[in-house]
Amino acid sequence: MDAPHVEFGIDSFGDLPRDDQGAIVSHAEAIRAAVAEAVLADEVGIDVVALGEHHLPEFAISSPETVLAGIATVTKRIRLASGVTVLSSDDPVRVFQRFATVDALSGGRAEVILGRGSFTESFPLFGYDLKDYEVLFEEKIDLFHRLLDETPVTWKGTTRAALHAADVYPKTESGRLSTWVGVGGTPQSVIRTARYGFRLMLAIIGGAPDRFAPYVDLYRRASEEFGTTAQPVGLHSPGFIASSDEEAKELFYPGYKETRDRIGALRGWPPLRREEFNAEVDHGSLYVGSAETVASKIAHAVRVLDAGRFDLIYSSAGTVSASARLRAVELYGTQVIPRSESFWPNSPRPRPERRDDHHRDPRGREDRHPTGASGRRSRIPRPDLRVG
């Protein structure tokens, strides 16, 4: 069996961390923390940073592409993605323009991951009716797909003004913006992704990853039927890394439970019990533990889904300190990724040189020297990422 070609990313919604005195930081500080985490990720050889969109008080990032533009100017190699862009409550033309701008600023490193959104706070905020949830995404993904050709577009629908031979700027240097679709587990979303020839990102936030294998198979079969290309799938799941399994669990659990219970109260779920958390860590899709433990779990998930990318949602526990989050990012790049790759020792992909884990303070920026070259991305279009 050939060694897999796997890429590794990190995801964040700009969750508000705590400072070293235990106080929750401001939205402005949380945005700056997300930038610092992305800079560190670039230094330690992580392939992608993906920033998600929320419009809630516990999350600082409502405009991922604006933060990505800032990251573009202080990084050299890492690719810059949304995770996801809620296309249903946005305008496809403006989404394309904003990400084409990030692509220009970063030298071709932008990716957009499109989704319908598992949270719906953006719909009333921007004047959309939830009864149009399906048609909004269906029409807007169709328009976005046409815009990716970077030629004049004529289009008509029911959710925005028609376009007649409209040319959209700026153009990308590669001629195509890298695009994924994020899917939370509906066959219709998988089939739609295959129909447009986008890459598939599976949002696996609970349960064993093995149960998503039928969706991977469906994506490949549908792509063949539509005559599009089934590219390697990705998955993103929550987790946290510390020096030991116990430390990681103790740091992660309080904030994760708080977030999970807050969401659960809106969705009719019972409060999370510690036994359920432990079971999800041991057998499900919470990648919480030491570098060795998390690497082993990632390798298993990649193997059972034959995935080409794994993204860790590392900021899911909002009460974790900013310094602990930086440490988790560093451990992911310097220890988890190499250990994961050791499960397929003949991996064909050369990795950038990583800095020695013992020679830096994760909170210090003075000794920064990003590794890698300019890191221009492939011209092969990539699919969108976010629950679609």
Side-chain angles (χ1 to χ4, degrees), residues 61-76:
I61 297 175
S62 61
S63 176
E65 54 270 59
T66 305
V67 183
L68 292 171
I71 293 170
T73 66
V74 290
T75 56
K76 300 294 183 184

Side-chain angles (χ1 to χ4, degrees), residues 188 204 281 320:
Q188 295 84 354
I204 306 178
V281 169
V320 172

Side-chain angles (χ1 to χ4, degrees), residues 84 95 101 137 183 219 241 268 387:
V84 299
V95 171
T101 301
F137 191 70
V183 172
Y219 171 67
I241 307 148
V387 181

Side-chain angles (χ1 to χ4, degrees), residues 107-189:
R109 291 183 281 139
E111 297 184 356
V112 58
I113 299 173
L114 305 174
R116 296 183 298 177
S118 59
F119 289 76
T120 57
E121 75 275 4
S122 64
F123 287 77
L125 184 63
F126 299 123
Y128 292 99
D129 195 323
L130 278 172
K131 70 179 176 58
D132 298 323
Y133 186 81
E134 296 292 340
V135 69
L136 281 165
F137 191 70
E138 193 66 62
E139 288 194 359
K140 291 185 177 187
I141 196 172
D142 178 67
L143 175 54
F144 193 84
H145 178 255
R146 297 179 189 221
L147 292 167
L148 289 174
D149 290 334
E150 303 192 15
T151 57
V153 172
T154 296
W155 179 91
K156 186 176 181 180
T158 63
T159 57
R160 77 172 313 279
L163 298 175
H164 179 70
D167 220 351
V168 176
Y169 304 97
K171 308 294 186 183
T172 65
E173 289 180 316
S174 69
R176 194 148 188 105
L177 187 63
S178 177
T179 308
W180 300 65
V181 172
V183 172
T186 65
Q188 295 84 354
S189 295

